[in-house]
Amino acid sequence: MLESPLIATLEAGGTKMVAGFAKGPGEILRRKRVKTEGVEKTLAQLVDFFRVGSQDLGLPEALAVGAFGPVNLDRGSKDYGTIGQTPKEGWRGVNLLAPLRELLGGLPSVVETDVNAALFGELRWGAARGLKSAAYLTVGTGIGGALFMNGDLIRGVGHSEMGHMRVRRDEVGGGAKFTGVCPFHGDCLEGMASGSALRARWGRAAEELGTEHVAWEIEADYLAQACVNILMIAPPERIILGGGVMAQDWLFPLIRTRLKELLGGYLAYDELGGDLGSFVLPPLLGEDAGLLGCVALGQALLKG
Amino acid sequence: MLESPLIATLEAGGTKMVAGFAKGPGEILRRKRVKTEGVEKTLAQLVDFFRVGSQDLGLPEALAVGAFGPVNLDRGSKDYGTIGQTPKEGWRGVNLLAPLRELLGGLPSVVETDVNAALFGELRWGAARGLKSAAYLTVGTGIGGALFMNGDLIRGVGHSEMGHMRVRRDEVGGGAKFTGVCPFHGDCLEGMASGSALRARWGRAAEELGTEHVAWEIEADYLAQACVNILMIAPPERIILGGGVMAQDWLFPLIRTRLKELLGGYLAYDELGGDLGSFVLPPLLGEDAGLLGCVALGQALLKG
């Protein structure tokens, strides 16, 4: 078997960036974590890491970036890889790809949203391995999503976002009074079910609520509604739920039960039989998800 | 320019079937309408039409069927083209493709859902002409949908359906009391906003309600919610709304206005600027949509 190509990876998050050189799981040759601070300082640290790394390990064959959004993903655009209207002001208009690409000798390069990258990694080595379609919903401070269908990440007028879909408000425990935290919509999915929403509504972070809190049944209902809408619009073979809120793993059976109820016997796919234990799943790649997602993206790029 | 290939088409609906020989708009060489009754009688009429037609016009180069669902769309399956668990009992297990394919000399053939076929026609010659992505929602007795993305009709674990997504109930004019007509979910999109739902809720058919009825603002809200969810999950460049209910064309501006409100400035795509007059549109192909959709499918099949 041929050796897998070496990929330079950058997981570019809003609070931290993780740069790496890797060939796959178990073959992460080097990595460095950098705080996302001022643009110049941050980029200088990344440039330093990639320069020294490629001297030590050899030039990588591709560069892959999974970036916080919004980021220009239009390969035909001269602004491909440029950060858009982010609240992180200094980063607006910064191109994440160009300086690193140049440093590394103009190699093939690709940028995706961070969630798209994570889903790509799960499709290659993780919870959606071998499937032809899958959705990824990440429930953290905000809610983001990704959708893979017909052999590629969804690209319409933009990429899948998921977070701002419309959900039916719960009426439990003052639900009618909690109007949600989304600055655009108030009570969309992100406004009602993100980590920020949980904190605003219950006064504590998700990980401090405890297993018995009424919050979880409500949370499961919102996330099950999201799964229903995904299934009705673009039905994937599997839905992966990740992000900080989902670390409360008792949520999974609650979501599966509620999803089953909401589907009401509609949709006769084999994948929706039983207790949905192999339909709604956590990601498998854990802390390495972002980095390995970039490796998968880079290797797919080389394959064409 | 080469002449377009002749396609044998079958629009197989639950109440009527329309068979045809055509090459494109303005080149519908022959067509026949047949009531969907007993399987044998109906198929015999179709076989007769296709036999005589191919004697007179020459053998078509491909056969394309747009079928009422559920229908097996898995090309790898031996049951490709077979009707599934339809309420029309006699039709369960009937293969629409096989007998016609054989009659016509084993030519290349394709089957899609009726809505997929209609969307395909609109992408080729109609309201979504030249676009790389589009959604089609048909609002009639029931609600069905189709989604084209990344250059193909969406195929995950199944095709897009749209009708049973979850919507937020209105509270206007007794909305809280109207529990919806969907046998599976009660108050899903189809349960609240289909033609059947309008009739059940207001006691009259859509076309008898008149322009000033409160029903329309409510209907526009439901359909705008559907558009929001489509945009958040798999954002198309355009959404086409067709079907009998949408013949009430004053609905379009109401839906656009409500969609704009619901988006709340989120999603900065150029396509969502202005009054959405070129984002939410009726189909263009009118009565010929199903037939021309099949022609487009057949010609795409020949192109590979």
Side-chain angles (χ1 to χ4, degrees), chain A residues 150 152-153 155-158 160-162 164-168 185 187 229 232-233 235 262-263 266 271, chain B residues 150 152-153 155-158 160-162 164-168 185 187 229 232-233 235 262-263 266 271:
Chain A
N150 293 18
D152 203 356
L153 293 161
R155 291 173 220 286
V157 65
S160 182
E161 299 207 13
M162 308 268 185
H164 299 267
M165 71 175 92
R166 207 162 154 78
V167 287
R168 190 176 300 185
H185 313 112
D187 58 4
N229 288 343
M232 295 306 170
I233 290 169
L262 290 178
L263 287 173
Y266 191 79
E271 286 77 356
Chain B
N150 294 16
D152 203 355
L153 292 161
R155 290 173 221 287
V157 66
S160 182
E161 299 208 12
M162 308 267 186
H164 299 268
M165 71 174 91
R166 208 163 152 78
V167 287
R168 192 176 299 185
H185 313 113
D187 58 5
N229 288 343
M232 295 307 169
I233 290 169
L262 289 178
L263 287 174
Y266 192 78
E271 286 78 356

Side-chain angles (χ1 to χ4, degrees), chain A residues 123-139:
Chain A
L123 282 157
R124 174 92 183 263
W125 293 298
R129 189 170 171 169
L131 298 184
K132 290 177 185 157
S133 59
Y136 194 119
L137 198 64
T138 172
V139 189

Side-chain angles (χ1 to χ4, degrees), chain B:
Chain B
M1 215 167 105
L2 284 175
E3 205 180 342
S4 301
L6 179 66
I7 310 297
T9 65
L10 177 60
E11 199 187 335
T15 54
K16 70 170 199 293
M17 304 221 173
V18 180
F21 285 87
K23 297 179 174 187
E27 293 182 283
I28 298 173
L29 307 182
R30 190 173 293 194
R31 87 171 91 196
K32 186 185 170 77
R33 192 173 292 232
V34 171
K35 274 193 196 164
T36 307
E37 297 174 317
V39 176
E40 280 190 35
K41 184 179 168 191
T42 310
L43 283 180
Q45 288 175 280
L46 294 173
V47 162
D48 194 52
F49 169 80
F50 285 118
R51 186 176 46 227
V52 174
S54 54
Q55 280 161 7
D56 295 352
L57 304 165
L59 272 180
E61 296 186 42
L63 165 67
V65 178
F68 67 92
V71 58
N72 187 321
L73 301 179
D74 176 4
R75 280 178 174 285
S77 164
K78 66 174 174 45
D79 294 324
Y80 182 61
T82 298
I83 301 285
Q85 292 298 315
T86 169
K88 297 187 76 74
E89 288 193 21
W91 286 89
R92 284 185 202 163
V94 172
N95 193 304
L96 290 170
L97 218 46
L100 303 177
R101 190 162 187 268
E102 198 175 333
L103 172 78
L104 296 169
L107 77 184
S109 57
V110 56
V111 63
E112 278 295 347
T113 66
D114 43 7
V115 197
N116 273 354
L119 173 54
F120 221 81
E122 294 294 333
L123 281 156
R124 175 94 184 262
W125 293 298
R129 189 170 172 170
L131 298 183
K132 290 177 187 158
S133 59
Y136 194 119
L137 198 64
T138 172
V139 190
T141 312
I143 293 184
L147 189 58
F148 185 91
M149 205 96 344
N150 294 16
D152 203 355
L153 292 161
I154 279 296
R155 290 173 221 287
V157 66
H159 55 85
S160 182
E161 299 208 12
M162 308 267 186
H164 299 268
M165 71 174 91
R166 208 163 152 78
V167 287
R168 192 176 299 185
R169 292 263 292 272
D170 68 282
E171 285 165 17
V172 183
K177 273 184 283 178
F178 180 66
T179 53
V181 300
C182 174
F184 294 95
H185 313 113
D187 58 5
C188 62
L189 179 65
E190 179 166 298
M192 300 303 283
S194 62
S196 312
L198 289 171
R199 184 185 285 275
R201 181 164 179 180
W202 308 108
R204 274 175 293 165
E207 59 274 23
E208 291 161 2
L209 288 171
T211 57
E212 300 303 315
H213 200 287
V214 65
W216 299 121
E217 204 165 320
I218 299 170
E219 183 74 4
D221 172 61
Y222 284 123
L223 297 175
Q225 289 191 52
C227 293
V228 169
N229 288 343
I230 294 167
L231 274 165
M232 295 307 169
I233 290 169
E237 291 157 87
R238 188 165 292 168
I239 298 178
I240 300 172
L241 299 178
V245 170
M246 297 310 302
Q248 280 54 242
D249 61 4
W250 54 84
L251 262 171
F252 283 92
L254 295 176
I255 292 167
R256 292 180 190 127
T257 302
R258 183 60 178 147
L259 175 55
K260 199 95 186 171
E261 279 172 24
L262 289 178
L263 287 174
Y266 192 78
L267 294 183
Y269 308 134
D270 293 344
E271 286 78 356
L272 297 175
D275 67 357
L276 301 181
S278 55
F279 182 73
V280 173
L281 283 173
L284 271 185
L285 299 181
E287 290 226 327
D288 295 334
L291 197 157
L292 289 175
C294 290
V295 176
L297 283 171
Q299 292 179 349
L301 179 72
L302 292 172
K303 269 192 162 175

